Every structure is written in structure tokens, then in C-alpha cells.
Amino acid sequence: MESIVTETPVALSFDLTAATKHLAERDERLKRLIEETTPFQLKIEAAQSPYETLIEAVTHQSISGKAAATIFGRVKALSSSGGIPTPEEMLKLRKPALRKAGLSGAKILAMKDLAQKTIDGVVPTLEQAQKLSDEELVKRLVSVRGIGAWTVEMFLIFRLGRPDVLPIHDLGVKKGWSITYGKRRMPKPKELLAFGERWRPYRTIASWYMWRACQRAGNAAMRKIRPARARKPHQRPKPKRPTRNRARR
């Protein structure tokens, strides 16, 4: 999460004072966290189109930030402009060239699918994205190969500044919740989703404070939090053996 945050503040689309007041009135633990930590401040990179954002996100999947930056630089070098290849350029780029840049086969397929869906209009422009609902954006963007809900949620928060996004699969949000509410285990996604209803329509702000809770607690406290308890498979009772009536002697 932190790797995509820069020093460029967002012009918030909501009243922050009203939002924090709303959250404090509905959640005593969150109220205490708001009072004791840094005031909410959303910072993002310069606005990019969903296509550009997701090309970069695919590059960063499952590798270190340093390695991803090197590979991303090589991918941009394949463009005629030296920037992110346009969707049309991406479709024309041959797989060996992209492989040589450091991309895996799965990432190449994801980028080409992203390029095609951008040309087809499934992936919107930035101007179109700003007018679409969170639900519609998630629906469209997760249809791209290799793009999951978490990546789209980070785009909604850190590129569009949407106020009501709750990343229920985010490790930092889950651990921050456990720290804030004194739990030994992380919540299951459905549990966190249900709990987060009290935070509507400002779940982004609440999530931000969960990340702050992690920072304040430190790595030692974070390591003590266990994964959510796995659900035990339902076991059917063993059928009883039929009893035979013994013949009377």
C-alpha cells in the first residue's frame, strides 16, 4: 500500500471534518485512534488513466519495488515516446521483447488483455472513470486478466480519492483492525465487511486509520496477530450400522 503513496495531496471530494465526526460518533475505538494519531491525509501520485495505473500495477505484482521499477523502465523504453506504451503499442509488442524486459508470461498476457479491453472501451479513460460508481469500476476493471479487487480498490483510493472504499483483503487493514479492537486474530473478509457497515459512507477514512494503527503498533505487535481462524469442514455424522434382530432361541 505505502509504495504507491507520494507527496501529492488530493483535493478531497468530501468534508473531512464531517467525515471524522461521523466516524467518531459511531465507533468509540476509532474515535480514540483518530484523536491519538496523525490527522487523515490522502496522498497520491499524479492522476493517471486506469490503463496506465494497471500497467504499472501488473508490473509490480509479486516482486520487490526495486525490481519492478527496473522492469517498468525497460517496458517504457519499448514505447516510441519513452513513456508507458499505448494500448495500441502494447498489442503490437512481441512477447520475446516483453520477456527480455523482465515480464513473466502471465504478466504479458495480463497487459495485452488490458490493452485490448482499453481499446474496446471496457477499461474507461480517467475522465470516464471519475464519473463511474465504485461498483461499476470494480466490475469493469476486475474483468481484466490478472487484475484483482485489491488493485482496483487501491486505484479508487489513491488515484481517484473515493471516500467509501474498504479493502477487506488488505493485510494492513485487517491487522490494523485487530490492533485497534484488541483481537488476537485477523478478521475474515466477510467479518470485516460486516463490521465496516458502521463506517459508511467513509470507509476509506476508517481504512486509512487502520493502516496508521499498524504503523503505531510496530512490527513486533504486528507479528503477534494470527491469521483468521480457518473454517472447519462440516463433517456428516457417520451412519449407524443396522442392527440385526437376533432370532429368539
Side-chain angles (χ1 to χ4, degrees):
M1 182 275 299
E2 295 297 336
S3 62
I4 63 175
V5 181
T6 69
E7 296 302 318
T8 305
V10 179
L12 298 177
S13 61
F14 56 92
D15 185 329
L16 180 56
T17 302
T20 51
K21 183 175 182 291
H22 173 91
L23 292 169
E25 288 175 347
R26 285 159 179 75
D27 191 324
E28 188 63 34
R29 292 286 185 95
L30 183 54
K31 176 184 178 181
R32 192 181 312 158
L33 183 60
I34 291 170
E35 291 172 346
E36 295 175 353
T37 56
T38 307
F40 176 85
Q41 188 178 24
L42 195 58
K43 300 175 182 179
I44 64 169
E45 292 182 1
Q48 289 181 309
S49 68
Y51 167 77
E52 292 170 323
T53 298
L54 297 178
I55 282 286
E56 188 172 0
V58 168
T59 307
H60 280 75
Q61 287 175 351
S62 304
I63 58 176
S64 70
K66 186 177 181 180
T70 299
I71 294 170
F72 195 51
R74 293 174 188 158
V75 172
K76 289 193 289 186
L78 298 174
S79 170
S80 59
S81 66
I84 297 174
T86 65
E88 291 77 12
E89 286 179 320
M90 180 56 68
L91 290 178
K92 290 178 182 178
L93 287 172
R94 300 181 66 83
K95 288 184 179 180
L98 292 168
R99 280 273 197 183
K100 190 175 180 180
L103 294 172
S104 66
K107 289 184 179 182
I108 292 170
L109 290 173
M111 287 185 179
K112 288 189 174 290
D113 188 44
L114 172 61
Q116 187 62 59
K117 283 187 167 68
T118 300
I119 292 171
D120 294 342
V122 176
V123 177
T125 64
L126 180 61
E127 185 179 359
Q128 291 169 340
Q130 289 168 338
K131 296 176 183 178
L132 293 172
S133 68
D134 295 353
E135 292 75 16
E136 179 63 22
L137 276 169
V138 171
K139 181 181 177 181
R140 288 196 190 198
L141 299 183
V142 299
S143 71
V144 177
R145 184 187 186 112
I147 300 299
W150 182 88
T151 300
V152 181
E153 288 162 350
M154 295 303 104
F155 172 72
L156 291 172
I157 293 173
F158 293 104
R159 297 299 172 92
L160 298 183
R162 295 292 173 89
D164 194 34
V165 181
L166 177 57
I168 58 174
H169 298 284
D170 185 270
L171 190 63
V173 172
K174 291 192 291 184
K175 286 198 171 186
W177 181 89
S178 299
I179 291 166
T180 302
Y181 299 95
K183 306 293 184 180
R184 294 181 179 179
R185 294 182 179 272
M186 288 186 286
K188 295 177 182 178
K190 286 185 178 181
E191 181 184 358
L192 184 56
L193 184 64
F195 186 93
E197 285 299 310
R198 71 188 63 188
W199 298 334
R200 281 185 184 271
Y202 301 112
R203 292 180 296 172
T204 294
I205 295 87
S207 299
W208 189 90
Y209 277 106
M210 295 303 106
W211 283 318
R212 299 291 77 72
C214 288
Q215 289 182 338
R216 188 171 69 156
N219 292 332
M222 294 270 284
R223 285 193 292 267
K224 292 179 181 179
I225 300 171
R226 302 173 185 175
R229 194 182 300 276
R231 185 178 180 181
K232 293 181 180 179
H234 180 69
Q235 294 182 344
R236 294 181 180 179
K238 294 181 179 180
K240 294 181 179 179
R241 293 181 179 179
T243 56
R244 296 179 179 178
N245 293 326
R246 292 182 180 179
R248 293 181 180 178
R249 292 181 179 177

